[in-house]
Amino acid sequence: MIKIAPSVLSADFSRLEEQIKLVEEGGADYIHLDVMDGHFVPNITFGAPVIKMLRKVTQIPFDVHLMIENPDRYIKDFVDAGADIITVHEEASIHLHRTIQYIKSFGVKAGVALNPSTSIENIKYVIDEVDMVLIMTVNPGFGGQYFIEQMKEKIIDLKRLIDSKNLNIDIQVDGGIKLDNIKEIASYGANIFVAGSAIFNSSDITNVTRMFKNL
Ligand code: DX5
Ligand code: ZN
């Protein structure tokens, strides 16, 4: 079963409630919220206060992707804002094992994200602790980029590692996901698909979400 996580990064920020309702109607499984700090990535988006307000408008689980330095400092804010999954970048967390435990101590799910150049090896000793691994299939920071082909091999390697340890962990992919590549990527083992521009830049957001779900 594949799950769809529309990323509001490409949504109309002046009408976020309305846009979330449109993907909700299309059957979205999560709302993917990209938090960027202008340091870890060269772009700035929104933080916990915006997420807290959005929490009031929908019941869909919030999948919060933190592209920020020193994530530990803000994790409690995102928990209080209503995050259901909090994903931190391996590259941004000096004590990743501790950070994962910290996220889980609040009773929310913990994910770890890997930039395209980061090896699966880097999370080999913490993978038993996480609920989800996010393979970045573009360099983080912006919507509308192209899927990096080498990431297919990485998804296969990750799936192999997870299976070899008999773990039950979601593999999320984020960046350049479109209606025409999702099936192939799913065949490598990914099961949660983030889609920003493919959904929110379309003229019928609900219908495109539904098409993603029905693949
Ligand atoms: C990029 C973000 C993504 C972004 C994906 O750094 O993490 O979630 O919204 O956008 P698309 O689907 O347009 O590649
Ligand atoms: Zn993201």
Side-chain angles (χ1 to χ4, degrees):
M1 249 301 264
I2 68 157
K3 290 184 171 170
I4 300 299
S7 161
V8 298
L9 184 62
S10 291
D12 180 344
F13 276 25
S14 68
R15 301 186 296 138
L16 274 179
E17 174 177 6
E18 217 177 289
Q19 302 250 292
I20 286 174
K21 288 272 152 64
L22 292 175
V23 294
E24 184 168 8
E25 214 181 304
D29 296 285
Y30 300 99
I31 299 296
H32 184 83
L33 297 154
D34 290 301
V35 177
M36 304 185 188
D37 66 353
H39 292 276
F40 181 69
V41 287
N43 197 6
I44 301 174
T45 53
F46 49 80
V50 171
I51 294 174
K52 192 175 186 167
M53 292 298 156
L54 292 176
R55 190 65 286 181
K56 295 193 271 189
V57 309
T58 180
Q59 300 293 324
I60 304 184
F62 279 179
D63 162 34
V64 177
H65 178 191
L66 296 182
M67 285 160 277
I68 62 174
E69 285 178 2
N70 199 356
D72 296 43
R73 194 169 157 189
Y74 303 97
I75 280 162
K76 191 174 182 302
D77 291 348
F78 289 102
V79 171
D80 292 342
D84 297 278
I85 307 172
I86 296 180
T87 299
V88 295
H89 268 262
E90 184 275 336
E91 306 83 4
S93 189
I94 299 168
H95 303 289
L96 183 60
H97 186 276
R98 179 188 288 152
T99 302
I100 292 163
Q101 302 305 331
Y102 185 50
I103 295 170
K104 293 201 298 184
S105 75
F106 294 105
V108 304
K109 289 188 172 182
V112 61
L114 302 177
N115 282 338
S117 65
T118 303
S119 170
I120 298 293
E121 284 288 310
N122 293 29
I123 56 164
K124 194 172 158 190
Y125 303 108
V126 292
I127 196 161
D128 306 66
E129 307 294 327
V130 300
D131 298 290
M132 181 175 88
V133 177
L134 165 48
I135 301 283
M136 286 306 303
T137 43
V138 297
N139 286 295
F142 304 95
Q145 304 180 83
Y146 288 105
F147 182 94
I148 299 170
E149 288 295 311
Q150 286 84 352
M151 295 304 104
K152 292 176 180 172
E153 185 184 341
K154 194 168 172 181
I155 299 162
I156 293 168
D157 288 346
L158 174 62
K159 175 73 176 149
R160 196 172 293 141
L161 175 65
I162 290 172
D163 288 349
S164 75
K165 286 174 165 268
N166 246 316
L167 297 169
N168 183 21
I169 296 173
D170 289 315
I171 300 180
Q172 184 177 56
V173 285
D174 184 5
I177 302 299
K178 309 283 170 204
L179 279 168
D180 63 9
N181 62 12
I182 199 165
K183 265 192 178 164
E184 183 191 352
I185 298 163
S187 76
Y188 302 134
N191 67 315
I192 303 181
F193 295 83
V194 177
S197 53
I199 289 180
F200 287 103
N201 288 353
S202 88
S203 54
D204 190 343
I205 291 170
T206 301
N207 194 38
V208 172
T209 308
R210 205 169 280 137
M211 284 163 79
F212 268 105
K213 271 300 290 178
N214 292 340
L215 277 174

